[in-house]
Amino acid sequence: MNQDYIKADEWSIIEEGFDLKRVKSSESLFSIGNGAMGQRANFEETYSGDTFQGSYIAGVYYPDKTRVGWWKNGYPEYFAKVLNAPNWIGIKVLINGVELDLATCKKVSAFKRELNMKEGCYRRSFDAVLSNNAMVHVDVTRFLSLDLDEVGAIAFKVTVENMDAEVSFFPFLDSGITNEDSNWDDKFWNTTKVSSSRNRAFIEAHTMKTNFRTCTFMQANLDYNGESISGSLEEQHDNFVSLKFSKKAKKGEQLSLTKFGGYTVSRNHPENELVHAANEVLDKASNFGFTKLMEKQKESWAKIWDMSDIVIQGDIKAQQGIRFNIFQLNQTYLGTDSRLNIGPKGFTGEKYGGSTYWDTEAYCIPFYMATKDEMVARKLLKYRYNHLEKAIENAKKLGFVNGAALYPMVTMNGEECHNEWEITFEEIHRNGAIAFAIYNYYRYTGDYSYIPEMGLEVLIGIARFWHQRANFSGYRNKFVILGVTGPNEYENNVNNNWYTNYLAQWCIHFTLEQLSKVKEGYQKDYNRIIGKTNLTPSECESWKKVADNIYFPFSEEHGVYLQQDGFLDKDLVKVADLDKTERPINQKWSWDRILRSPYIKQADVLQGFYFFEENFTLKELENHFDFYEPFTVHESSLSPCVHSIQAAKLGRMEQAYTFYLRTSRLDLDDYNKEVEEGLHITSMAGTWMSIVEGFGGMRVINDMLSFEPRIPKQWASYSFKVNFRNRILKVKVSQDEIHIELKGDEELVILINGKEYKLALNTTTII
Amino acid sequence: MNQDYIKADEWSIIEEGFDLKRVKSSESLFSIGNGAMGQRANFEETYSGDTFQGSYIAGVYYPDKTRVGWWKNGYPEYFAKVLNAPNWIGIKVLINGVELDLATCKKVSAFKRELNMKEGCYRRSFDAVLSNNAMVHVDVTRFLSLDLDEVGAIAFKVTVENMDAEVSFFPFLDSGITNEDSNWDDKFWNTTKVSSSRNRAFIEAHTMKTNFRTCTFMQANLDYNGESISGSLEEQHDNFVSLKFSKKAKKGEQLSLTKFGGYTVSRNHPENELVHAANEVLDKASNFGFTKLMEKQKESWAKIWDMSDIVIQGDIKAQQGIRFNIFQLNQTYLGTDSRLNIGPKGFTGEKYGGSTYWDTEAYCIPFYMATKDEMVARKLLKYRYNHLEKAIENAKKLGFVNGAALYPMVTMNGEECHNEWEITFEEIHRNGAIAFAIYNYYRYTGDYSYIPEMGLEVLIGIARFWHQRANFSGYRNKFVILGVTGPNEYENNVNNNWYTNYLAQWCIHFTLEQLSKVKEGYQKDYNRIIGKTNLTPSECESWKKVADNIYFPFSEEHGVYLQQDGFLDKDLVKVADLDKTERPINQKWSWDRILRSPYIKQADVLQGFYFFEENFTLKELENHFDFYEPFTVHESSLSPCVHSIQAAKLGRMEQAYTFYLRTSRLDLDDYNKEVEEGLHITSMAGTWMSIVEGFGGMRVINDMLSFEPRIPKQWASYSFKVNFRNRILKVKVSQDEIHIELKGDEELVILINGKEYKLALNTTTII
């Protein structure tokens, strides 16, 4: 843990007291988003202290020219970057001509931030004494509307407590912004027009290269004792426009500036109608007004929470942690647009550039399947189907042929945009996660239709890749997969990573099965796919030969599959025996030392045991967990959740609980000392999994929903809801009982601790 | 082979005909150097075509900020770059006001370049028709003086053939130059003063960060029919100074501008006396005059050739190749300064930044030992001794302790300046080459004194490194070395690279032997070293335990040591069976494909067999050669020479000859399609080895010089000289006989084909 200034609270993230050193961290933690746009918790008013500015528009990116020390053949030419978008939140404030700036005030007190997760809004208030001795009280509320998802709203309230004072507000738009994470200091935005009309203003700008056209817009109104004060245009040039609202206010009386702002984008509107669309959405927002829009916001968040909330009784920090995770996931991705995906930092920072990693398939899909309509997960699958051609091109660049597909490590539009050979070229297990998600979707939702419609083509491309990527080792008389990086990125360019080999085998077998099923049940789709892919029976035979004869490194001595060839050659000192000053090794050790150590960044063999647990006995899981976990440093945000689930399954609840806390409060407590750069969004889905799959023991077994609930001794109870095939189940687990309530149109038979229960409709079953 | 425009000639490199596309290639091939400075064959006059400008001063470099895509702990902060230095060669020429520029002339004919290697000078001549129809004949001679090594001399002769014409020469200096190979477009030079005095001019400038202070200087004189035409200052500002010499010449009469120029540097003079030193050296050059200085140049080169020439009869291309290699080595390093070393591109380009690689120890030292006084090789060894503290710091950065030393992969001043984890951190065999060179030096020269004086400390640091770098594998009950890159850089992060493991073992055993020898024979040195290093008998015991128990991968099936663990898992298709369109693989294949292929860039296991051949039988060599060479693509300039030597040893003269041609004409014929960037200087020493050690079979066996001469059937004879322990032997091998002539003060017993011969003084022994 690196920080603990966030107050424990069930529904809110709260910071009290102003500390310049915490500003960037809080800018991440108090970020808001609505799936279509996102905003770091930057101040509206001028702030001359250290800050990391970030406004983001979903799907708007820039292909930054690749920067490497030594070029390797096959590297992509660019790295698609999440873009810092034009600033719409800015409001300069003058009190008797002196600028409000928390970095230069004489005194700041009663500073408080609150991210109200229940209502989906962010509030900030403080008292400050300016250099002219004006004592001001400021109260700001900001939210990004779920109902009008192009609009954000701000109510900025100022009261001068100790004098009558002229208060001036300058709400502005600014497209002269930069990305911190720029390779070559390229200019990412080109502004084409700045305009204003009464209390509204617009900046039309497009991204360079990708040419996403945007209109950043705002409307402002000032209210003083119920009177609306009119404003005027203050400044309009280049990439900046500012209005001005000024009023001499009596001592102790409040001035309230309301600002609506946001973006209309050519992804959603004809490109010559962006200002028109902006006016339309501003009209809608004005018609509601700030208060009514805020009420709608609460209602919309209430709906989300109704389905996705997890309630933990008796452990307020754990409660806050899980809600923070669920809240951020919903702020990032709502499943309304199959062109979008879930970036590892969501809308909270720039790092990791491109938006889509294998995190989506491995970690996020279960959350979205269980807490949303199944169409949401289907959209995430379709995203990859839409990128199949690009995945085939990507494989071609690396020398693969005949429609083999390698999905990118990192992408925006389907093209690879990562450039580290040991990851880009070698961390190929990502291809397996994409196939696994297809299986997982069908297993959970029971919706087979995706496979004949789209999934099978993806599977064929992936199977072709594995078939070509393996080679026959005459020495072993088996097929081997050389030169890979497994999920444990603390090993690079290893041979026969067990996880990768297992996935390769599984992908081919699964694809062959689906080919048979589609051939039987969906003749028309089958013919279309065979026609398109030119797949022949002999090619399938050839895949099967590889899959049936793949090599798995195994240690007879330890009774475990080996993470890769040569793992036992390492100096096998357990993490517990490492000096604490050596941790985290990714900050303390040189890269070569990490590589030759036995230390594991995140689940690798155990990731395979997580995906395919039905293929292994509990004893096997225990052996492997006991062998590998002691070497695992969990220095990836994706590590603790899988271990928490497995520890729970092994009945090791103390360990499971420790892992849970680490995953759920990773950012709140800043375990990895990097929260300033943004939040770890994708691993937040892992937190949800550690409760629902870990403690709740939720699985689908033989087409039946199953639970094996356990509960940490620190908790009185926990409850969650899942949507299983259009039935809503609410599960509540306390120390003594399990309550399960079913809502929907049909009864459901489920397994609890291996025993079948027929759940009656709208009734709570107590076990 | 990529080009063949160089005319075959025994003593010269000749280009005939002007081709814009060949300019950059010829700029490399016709480079000149004198050990202290170097100059690409850029034109003196204006040239608006594509060119790669390069003037270099030995030991003057710039630490360019590291550029990587993804930072890894342990990377150095900068990469020391060979610097393009201020231009001293420039002479703008106007004919009746029209600028001479070969890229824009109406016609260029009779263009010829000649690098006369015997005399150490570069000539260029051509006829050109300018836009004003002036027909000019130009004849330029340029050399860098061996006698005054701060001075270069140019005679630039112009004759207008078809009219009386005003010819103006503007000899200039220019410090407004850049490096092509700059990471961040930093400004590398800061000019502090530009001055002139009569026919001389000076630019004082220093490098940024490293603060090497330099004075670039020139003096010019114009001669017309024996009359000296005086000049005047034309332009003097910022970072530029130009003189002007103008004369109306009669049709067909020659104007000759002589320019002396060069650098005085704070490495060699007090920094406030650089202009003074420049004036002094210009006085000396003027006193000689161009013609006399040129005569001295011939004499000095004659001395170099007398000792280092290799004469091949009956094969003019082979003759030209070997002389080109010997010439370039001598242009690059003459052994006069132990602060200097041999950069892979010498003074012919910028690439590979830092100057010193393991190439020096592995490839260059044998050449310098045999063709120079032994002090030259000793200076190269001392260079590493001087860097020992930095090598210890370098190891410390990577987590090693207790005085373990890891010499840098690339360096200027002892600090590591490479930044690719798989090379910087993992290509650690370089440490072994540095120890091997100490052994090789003693073996050849018989001078043991270096070891007690300096070498033993280096060996202790290296032994400590290997001891710590190995770890015990409980699985194998042996010590293993994990995560390395061998000489074959087409494998990264492999385990138990046989060559590395063998070197590690050898280094420790050799160090322990030397400790005993120094303890016995050099008590005072021994005490000093033990005091300084705190070496204890138990530490030595612990080294020995590692060395005695190191693991070597071996294949019983093939009867060969394996390049690394898992080599036999590869798809073992031989190079001969690869489609030719796939070659060179480093241009045609993605990096991951190269890595998992069996293809070998340069000798790896065979490099070990080269260094330590006395430890292996001829049959073992044959087995390993037959196993590995068929997988070797020789895509490193350092590859063919070792294979040529081993093929010769195995009596495979056709193969040896093919490898020889490839190494000796690598740049002349541009096998690697990159000669524009500069020459492959260090591999040129390998060419010398392939004749002397390969065909000549020269070795030191039991402290005795030994030859086992063979001769390619294409040659009538070849001869070379070696300095062995201050005796000069001239060896001439023809198809029928071996002639050996001994010069010196003492008789010498040598082995020829395993038989002892006592050579009489100043007599030719015929065998």
Side-chain angles (χ1 to χ4, degrees), chain A residues 700-718:
Chain A
V700 178
I701 296 176
N702 299 327
D703 218 29
M704 231 187 293
L705 194 64
S706 164
F707 296 94
E708 297 201 15
R710 301 171 192 270
I711 180 167
K713 70 175 195 304
Q714 292 84 349
W715 297 359
S717 71
Y718 66 95

Side-chain angles (χ1 to χ4, degrees), chain B residues 336-444:
Chain B
T336 49
D337 187 340
S338 66
R339 296 167 303 175
L340 298 179
N341 208 292
I342 306 146
K345 297 236 169 274
F347 298 121
T348 69
E350 299 170 1
K351 216 182 155 189
Y352 299 124
S355 92
T356 312
Y357 286 64
W358 68 291
D359 303 24
T360 294
E361 282 76 13
Y363 296 92
C364 299
I365 280 185
F367 169 79
Y368 285 103
M369 284 198 299
T371 67
K372 306 271 178 210
D373 186 88
E374 71 186 34
M375 291 310 292
V376 171
R378 205 179 204 272
K379 275 190 183 123
L380 289 170
L381 298 188
K382 191 179 171 200
Y383 174 93
R384 296 294 192 177
Y385 175 71
N386 290 338
H387 290 174
L388 177 58
E389 282 312 309
K390 293 227 162 100
I392 291 172
E393 275 172 41
N394 186 33
K396 212 183 266 176
K397 275 188 205 162
L398 301 187
F400 297 91
V401 296
N402 185 33
L406 174 61
Y407 278 91
M409 190 66 206
V410 184
T411 192
M412 278 287 190
N413 67 348
E415 289 174 64
E416 176 63 84
C417 63
H418 194 81
N419 52 41
E420 228 178 348
W421 65 265
E422 61 274 22
I423 306 293
T424 313
F425 302 153
E426 297 206 336
E427 201 171 336
I428 53 176
H429 67 79
R430 60 191 185 246
N431 239 16
I434 286 160
F436 177 79
I438 295 173
Y439 160 71
N440 201 18
Y441 171 77
Y442 165 57
R443 176 173 66 173
Y444 188 84

